[in-house]
Amino acid sequence: MSYSEKPSRNRTRSMIKIMLCALAFVTLFSMPSTGFAQQTMDPVFTEHQKAWTTKHEFSSPLVDHLPASTAVPSPRDVLGHDIGAPRVLDRYADILKYYRALAAKTKRVKIIETGATEEGRPTVIVLISADENIANLEINRQNLAKLGDPRGLTEDQAKDLIARTKPIYLILGGLHSAETGPPEMLMELAYRLVTEDSPLITNIRQNVIVGINPTTDPDGRDRYTDWYYRNKIDDTDDLDPVPGVPYWGKYIFHDNNRDINYSGFSSRNLLAFYLQWRPPIMHDLHESVPFLYTFSGQAPQNPSLDPILFGEMPWISNFEMAQLTKYGMPGVWTHGFVDAWSPGYVGFMSTNHNGLFKMYETFGNGGATTELRHIKPVEGPGEDLHASDQTVREWFRPNPPDKTVEWSMRDNTNYMETALLSALQMTSEFPQQILENFYQKSFNSIAAGRTEAPYAFIIPGDQADMTKVALVINLLRLQGIEIGRTSAEITLKEGKFPAGSFVVKRDPYGRLAKILLEKQKFPDSKLKTYDDSAWSMGMMAHVKVVPTADLTALDAAVQPVDQYRPEGTIGAASAAAYAVLDHGSINMATLRYRLRNVFVRIAEQPFKSGDQEIPAGSFVIEAKAYEKLKAAVVPLGLTALALDKVPNVPMHEAALPRLAIYSTWGSTQNVGWIRYAFDRLETPYELIFKDELRKGGLRSKYDVIIVPSQGRSAKSVVFDIPMRGKPLPYTKTAEFPTQGAYGSSADIRGGMGLVGVEELRKFVMDGGTLITLGDSSAVPGEFGITPDIEVSRPTKAFYAPGPIVNAKVLKPANPIFYGYTDTTLTVRWATTALLALPFRNQNDVLMSFPGGDKMVQSGLMVGACEVKNRPAIVDLPVGSGQVLMFMTNPIHRWQNFGEFRMLYNALFSYKGLRKDLGGPPVMPDEPTAAEDKPADAC
Ligand SMILES: [Zn+2]
């Protein structure tokens, strides 16, 4: 739809703009391109591009044409449509088909296969450059590897390498499946880069190798596209959109951009490519705010990253902004959205490894249908939306977008592509500077490891549970961080460390090692951050990590570690029984499932066998299971001792409850993280939704139901997607084969409703165990399953973006804490709900938050006194059953490994959780004068 057919109050302004633009293009942009002027353009494309752009000002001279080629196929030749066609989204196989067809016809393209997704779709990187650069790729790859790890390189050698090397500029599109534009646009960009002979494109081709990751979440792309065609294609007004598809990838949704430990195959494949090819620039394409936001790394910034980076980001962003504004395109801005604090965004793999990260948010419609978009937010009573109002002029947004707009896929394509071409233009003008910076940042990173403490991190080799140590070591290795293992005891300022300890030196990615392992000191409590404020790996995994200020740590004799897999051991084949020592390994969970047909008991108290202390929680296993046990404990890194007699301590069977996980349809992500962990740890469960819940009869099917944290509130857990509009089927059909994966429903609207709540209540009354996690723990209190519990929310002043805090174990003998030896545990803060119990239920609280600033171990919590003495874990008897409420999230992403066991302990010992709970409350002592006002008083 062209602008001239549409009435608008901005018509006059736009008409003037059209005239000005036309004039400007003739004088400024056509002149230098004499060779380009002779190139034949594709008239059909020109016509489409013009017709699908809703306002002239939403286009630019860089994208209003496309060369005609008889040699290589255009997107239309392969897909049957030009890019930006209304109501058209391409599926991943077609996208790949296009790139392969392109690569088959030109020497300017090479496709690198990088692996496959969870659902088996191949992942690739498409490299595009001039013929000679593509022919020279391997040498270039080796050069970039040397610049990215310049140990042993002299300055002259570096200069020489830089002069002979082209930077790779790697672009990612479609990490977020609802952000549908980039995977379309990138095909056109690829074709343009291969075929166009304008000076701008020729220069890019000569001086830059452009890498394209066509769709960073291929599984999600197809699932979203099917959903779009089935349910969303008729969306024309953003005030009444149809909700999105329940799943993108197999497990996680939007969090594929928070996957700090690379659980997803697609990001892991990307990381492997990154470490092999070391692109100095990585650019991630997203859609949300209008019309184009180019990230420049606003505060808070991680101070461990190289200062050069924070000069580079706005350097390119400001150029893009000036270029697009010059072309007459409104609404291009930088600064003021997303910060540079957390290292967990996928594209941050570049900054984490001394590269340069770029990111756009463009304006997407969640599909390819042209829509009326309301840009100015509508303020409700008491709301001040000024900060989120992108139509307001700010110093960093000098030319804001209009308040409403008719917006098309082509408009979005024009913005993204014009900006990317501008960023590539800049890169092609300064390729040597980009490489110099890359080299210098890499050099500085290594140098910093020798001049700034900590010089290394020591992970002691004598930790009771080495399997969690292995998790940390292998995740660091995955990111290219070098680790050595000591062959003898070493003595440092911080103490003695036994042989077999790990030394994480700061080579070659010292900044990343430091960022991941250190305690996060948030720079300014008045600042907000876009995601988690803390991630300290040692605290998250309950692994001891010691930063050392002792330079001699760098001289310690070590063997390089590729992967660390502690091998388990088992005693002699003839024994009365075996004890698998419980030191908190999460592999104990996997062991239980591998021995599902074996009689496994849990020792409720510590005992001795000879001189060996065997902790409470250890598994006691019958002698006849020796072979099965051996086959399991050895690869799992656990220790099974041979016992000369069955211990005489209280024991109970390690239960294998019939387990269900409840998921809403509208918020499957946090459930997805639990599913991911359960699948990795070989835990069987049934995933149930509203239809199963409403049907009732839950107690006859399940012993335990877990309700993970999900939705925005308890109300949204119960009512989920509103019953508005038409039914929304998520079922597999011949036409839509990706639908119905991981669950299916003829209509995903409506939630469990009060009927579902009542079925959950009956389940508990009849003896079931209901386990709620994080924010979902507000449901039992607010919906009457545990009517004695009051739920409140902290004040508006409270702010806790995922800090790591101390929690106090109140019932250390309770089965929930098997495998834990401390009564103060680090946990990730995970709730917006606070529970209050009547005094008589004081003895049902298993763990609590002490409150106060001293509680905060890493990251930011403002108002820590508001949570003083609030329950962290509560088990309440209800009828014949119980409700176990975690105000923590014991499985937060694939990250807080130290907390996982609390949930597994609850499963294996669900029948015995109340053994030391309940009973009469204890009246508190009067505080003594000394205790009255501790230093950290609230
Ligand atoms: Zn996004």
Side-chain angles (χ1 to χ4, degrees):
M1 195 176 301
S2 75
Y3 166 71
S4 55
E5 294 160 358
K6 309 258 348 140
S8 160
R9 61 198 136 89
N10 289 320
R11 186 176 183 140
T12 317
R13 187 178 117 188
S14 296
M15 287 303 285
I16 292 168
K17 229 171 167 175
I18 289 170
M19 284 152 58
L20 283 174
C21 288
L23 197 66
F25 298 161
V26 170
T27 54
L28 281 175
F29 301 107
S30 306
M31 270 203 337
S33 50
T34 33
F36 171 51
Q38 289 158 7
Q39 192 172 17
T40 309
M41 293 299 155
D42 172 354
V44 178
F45 173 87
T46 308
E47 195 183 303
H48 284 156
Q49 195 271 351
K50 197 172 169 197
W52 299 339
T53 299
T54 62
K55 269 190 182 182
H56 178 78
E57 66 200 58
F58 296 158
S59 182
S60 82
L62 306 191
V63 297
D64 63 359
H65 61 274
L66 199 65
S69 172
T70 49
V72 301
S74 73
R76 191 174 72 238
D77 293 334
V78 174
L79 306 168
H81 65 88
D82 281 310
I83 297 303
R87 301 167 71 88
V88 176
L89 287 182
D90 290 296
R91 291 186 171 84
Y92 185 64
D94 292 323
I95 292 172
L96 276 190
K97 189 170 135 195
Y98 176 66
Y99 287 106
R100 296 202 197 281
L102 184 68
K105 294 289 184 183
T106 174
K107 289 182 176 152
R108 293 176 173 175
V109 175
K110 183 169 170 66
I111 295 179
I112 311 286
E113 308 287 334
T114 59
T117 66
E118 283 80 353
E119 295 180 359
R121 292 176 180 83
T123 53
V124 303
I125 302 290
V126 181
L127 297 174
I128 304 171
S129 195
D131 297 19
E132 61 274 21
N133 294 340
I134 293 294
N136 204 29
L137 270 181
E138 177 53 25
I139 302 284
N140 205 82
R141 190 188 69 75
Q142 291 170 17
N143 292 354
L144 284 173
K146 286 178 198 153
L147 294 172
D149 181 4
R151 283 176 291 179
L153 211 58
T154 66
E155 208 167 310
D156 284 345
Q157 286 170 329
K159 273 186 188 152
D160 175 57
L161 272 179
I162 288 168
R164 293 188 284 111
T165 305
K166 309 288 178 189
I168 298 179
Y169 190 120
L170 178 61
I171 309 166
L172 321 178
L175 175 67
H176 288 157
S177 306
E179 300 160 22
T180 54
E184 299 287 334
M185 179 276 295
L186 288 170
M187 292 188 277
E188 181 174 300
L189 178 73
Y191 176 76
R192 191 183 299 283
L193 289 171
V194 169
T195 57
E196 190 169 311
D197 291 335
S198 65
L200 186 143
I201 302 288
T202 306
N203 210 34
I204 293 172
R205 220 163 31 225
Q206 237 120 56
N207 294 316
V208 185
I209 298 165
V210 180
I212 292 177
N213 183 213
T215 303
T216 310
D217 182 355
D219 297 342
R221 172 72 184 186
D222 282 355
R223 199 155 11 254
Y224 191 90
T225 301
D226 277 356
W227 178 264
Y228 169 75
Y229 281 123
R230 191 178 194 180
N231 294 313
K232 254 182 103 61
I233 192 164
D234 294 326
D235 273 3
T236 52
D237 185 339
D238 68 355
L239 293 184
D240 191 22
V242 168
V245 67
Y247 294 95
W248 292 350
K250 180 173 182 180
Y251 295 106
I252 55 175
F253 221 72
H254 195 264
D255 268 5
N256 59 10
N257 206 22
R258 309 289 186 274
D259 188 8
I260 194 167
N261 290 325
Y262 295 90
S263 70
F265 287 7
S266 182
S267 9
R268 215 180 300 164
N269 297 346
L270 192 63
L271 177 66
F273 172 87
Y274 183 90
L275 292 174
Q276 229 189 339
W277 290 81
R278 312 212 195 201
I281 307 183
M282 195 152 167
H283 192 143
D284 194 9
L285 299 173
H286 289 262
E287 293 177 357
S288 63
V289 294
F291 288 129
L292 186 140
Y293 169 75
T294 167
F295 174 74
S296 48
Q298 70 157 340
Q301 297 170 345
N302 199 307
S304 291
L305 294 170
D306 197 301
I308 295 171
L309 170 71
F310 296 104
E312 290 179 303
M313 286 197 280
W315 176 51
I316 301 185
S317 293
N318 285 331
F319 180 70
E320 294 159 336
M321 187 170 147
Q323 288 295 87
L324 270 69
T325 306
K326 182 171 67 187
Y327 298 140
M329 303 173 94
V332 180
W333 53 295
T334 186
H335 184 83
F337 187 69
V338 185
D339 54 70
W341 179 249
S342 164
Y345 310 105
V346 140
F348 273 45
M349 76 174 69
S350 58
T351 47
N352 291 340
H353 295 89
N354 308 312
L356 166 54
F357 172 65
K358 288 188 55 57
M359 188 265 286
Y360 294 160
E361 298 282 352
T362 57
F363 204 38
N365 288 349
T369 311
T370 301
E371 278 194 40
L372 176 65
R373 300 295 306 269
H374 299 79
I375 296 172
K376 189 176 174 55
V378 183
E379 285 186 20
E383 269 181 298
D384 177 11
L385 295 176
H386 183 84
S388 60
D389 184 355
Q390 274 104 17
T391 68
V392 173
R393 188 190 183 284
E394 301 279 4
W395 66 265
F396 53 84
R397 190 168 47 226
N399 187 19
D402 290 340
K403 292 184 172 53
T404 57
V405 68
E406 191 84 28
W407 189 257
S408 69
M409 177 63 108
R410 187 63 225 185
D411 296 331
N412 186 22
T413 304
N414 294 341
Y415 269 79
M416 280 186 276
E417 195 176 345
T418 304
L420 266 176
L421 286 169
S422 301
L424 291 170
Q425 178 185 5
M426 181 80 158
T427 310
S428 71
E429 296 289 344
F430 295 98
Q432 300 293 292
Q433 284 74 7
I434 296 283
L435 291 174
E436 279 168 22
N437 290 358
F438 180 51
Y439 160 73
Q440 194 63 49
K441 286 181 288 183
S442 304
F443 180 89
N444 292 350
S445 170
I446 291 162
R450 291 170 173 75
T451 54
E452 296 165 8
Y455 304 110
F457 293 85
I458 311 297
I459 302 180
D462 57 354
Q463 306 194 38
D465 173 27
M466 291 303 283
T467 66
K468 287 203 295 287
V469 170
L471 276 169
V472 171
I473 296 289
N474 294 334
L475 288 171
L476 293 171
R477 291 289 307 127
L478 186 69
Q479 299 219 45
I481 291 166
E482 290 180 5
I483 298 174
R485 198 162 189 205
T486 58
S487 39
E489 183 184 83
I490 56 170
T491 306
L492 301 173
K493 279 181 191 169
E494 291 77 15
K496 285 186 196 302
F497 299 95
S501 294
F502 298 90
V503 182
V504 184
K505 295 182 191 175
R506 293 179 54 190
D507 288 337
Y509 302 124
R511 295 182 189 282
L512 178 59
K514 180 169 179 290
I515 288 169
L516 292 175
L517 293 172
E518 73 187 349
K519 179 176 185 151
Q520 277 78 53
K521 294 185 193 110
F522 201 76
D524 181 349
S525 61
K526 289 187 286 300
L527 287 172
K528 304 269 186 227
T529 187
Y530 200 66
D531 198 65
D532 281 354
S533 61
W535 49 83
S536 314
M537 281 180 93
M539 292 185 200
M540 283 283 198
H542 293 188
V543 164
K544 189 171 179 190
V545 177
V546 183
T548 176
D550 192 334
L551 257 176
T552 64
L554 303 184
D555 305 326
V558 291
Q559 289 295 314
V561 175
D562 180 25
Q563 293 280 299
Y564 170 50
R565 307 218 178 281
E567 194 157 302
T569 56
I570 185 163
S574 55
Y578 295 89
V580 182
L581 304 186
D582 183 11
H583 293 296
S585 172
I586 55 180
N587 290 358
M588 294 287 280
T590 310
L591 175 69
R592 180 65 190 103
Y593 294 108
R594 287 192 187 169
L595 300 181
R596 68 180 73 77
N597 298 321
V598 172
F599 184 53
V600 176
R601 283 176 294 176
I602 298 176
E604 295 175 7
Q605 289 167 11
F607 63 95
K608 278 201 159 186
S609 173
D611 290 341
Q612 178 77 41
E613 182 81 22
I614 295 162
S618 297
F619 287 176
V620 176
I621 292 166
E622 52 195 347
K624 66 179 184 189
Y626 174 80
E627 289 302 330
K628 281 182 189 168
L629 180 61
K630 186 179 174 188
V633 289
V634 173
L636 289 172
L638 299 168
T639 304
L641 291 185
L643 304 178
D644 51 16
K645 59 178 196 305
V646 177
N648 185 23
V649 288
M651 294 190 279
H652 61 264
E653 189 181 359
L656 292 169
R658 297 169 303 160
L659 176 63
I661 300 179
Y662 176 72
S663 178
T664 54
W665 285 109
S667 177
T668 63
Q669 173 152 288
N670 288 342
V671 182
W673 282 113
I674 310 272
R675 288 171 45 230
Y676 179 80
F678 276 24
D679 287 357
R680 286 267 310 239
L681 300 172
E682 304 173 24
T683 309
Y685 59 90
E686 268 184 54
L687 186 62
I688 60 171
F689 297 84
K690 63 175 173 80
D691 298 342
E692 290 81 3
L693 223 58
R694 284 158 167 269
K695 234 176 267 164
L698 298 168
R699 186 67 192 98
S700 63
K701 291 178 217 149
Y702 310 112
D703 302 307
V704 175
I705 298 176
I706 299 176
V707 183
S709 193
Q710 54 199 306
R712 289 176 185 278
S713 61
K715 189 180 135 193
S716 74
V717 175
V718 172
F719 297 107
D720 199 22
I721 302 171
M723 291 297 289
R724 202 168 46 230
K726 57 185 181 182
L728 293 174
Y730 180 66
T731 49
K732 184 174 175 167
T733 67
E735 195 183 359
F736 305 116
T738 62
Q739 308 295 280
Y742 315 116
S744 111
S745 177
D747 184 4
I748 63 170
R749 298 172 308 157
M752 70 168 88
L754 295 177
V755 176
V757 174
E758 178 56 16
E759 291 302 336
L760 282 179
R761 197 188 66 85
K762 277 196 229 159
F763 166 76
V764 178
M765 293 298 289
D766 292 350
T769 295
L770 178 65
I771 302 180
T772 57
L773 310 181
D775 276 337
S776 287
S777 292
V779 173
E782 292 192 333
F783 284 84
I785 297 173
T786 55
D788 280 350
I789 290 190
E790 290 298 329
V791 182
S792 65
R793 300 289 189 284
T795 67
K796 276 196 170 169
F798 182 81
Y799 180 56
I804 302 169
V805 302
N806 275 343
K808 200 171 152 196
V809 175
L810 303 174
K811 307 282 177 192
N814 191 276
I816 296 248
F817 302 109
Y818 288 153
Y820 296 88
T821 48
D822 293 336
T823 51
T824 298
L825 302 177
T826 49
V827 298
R828 182 190 173 273
W829 182 260
T831 182
T832 59
L834 304 176
L835 302 188
L837 274 69
F839 185 63
R840 66 175 176 277
N841 289 108
Q842 175 191 277
N843 276 327
D844 294 318
V845 181
L846 289 87
M847 187 166 86
S848 70
F849 298 113
D853 290 341
K854 278 189 182 163
M855 174 184 78
V856 184
Q857 296 302 298
S858 189
L860 177 69
M861 177 180 276
V862 178
C865 279
E866 291 196 31
V867 303
K868 186 182 174 180
N869 294 334
R870 290 292 188 158
I873 305 177
V874 178
D875 188 275
L876 216 64
V878 174
S880 326
Q882 60 189 333
V883 182
L884 176 63
M885 288 156 275
F886 284 87
M887 304 318 292
T888 53
N889 184 355
I891 297 180
H892 167 69
R893 298 174 176 162
W894 179 246
Q895 198 172 350
N896 56 342
F897 308 116
E899 295 179 63
F900 283 24
R901 273 291 304 275
M902 291 185 228
L903 183 57
Y904 276 104
N905 287 340
L907 297 180
F908 298 147
S909 297
Y910 77 99
K911 292 176 188 166
L913 293 180
R914 297 207 46 78
K915 221 170 177 182
D916 60 345
L917 298 185
V922 180
M923 292 303 288
D925 295 333
E926 288 295 321
T928 63
E931 284 169 339
D932 212 14
K933 278 203 184 345
D936 192 36
C938 287

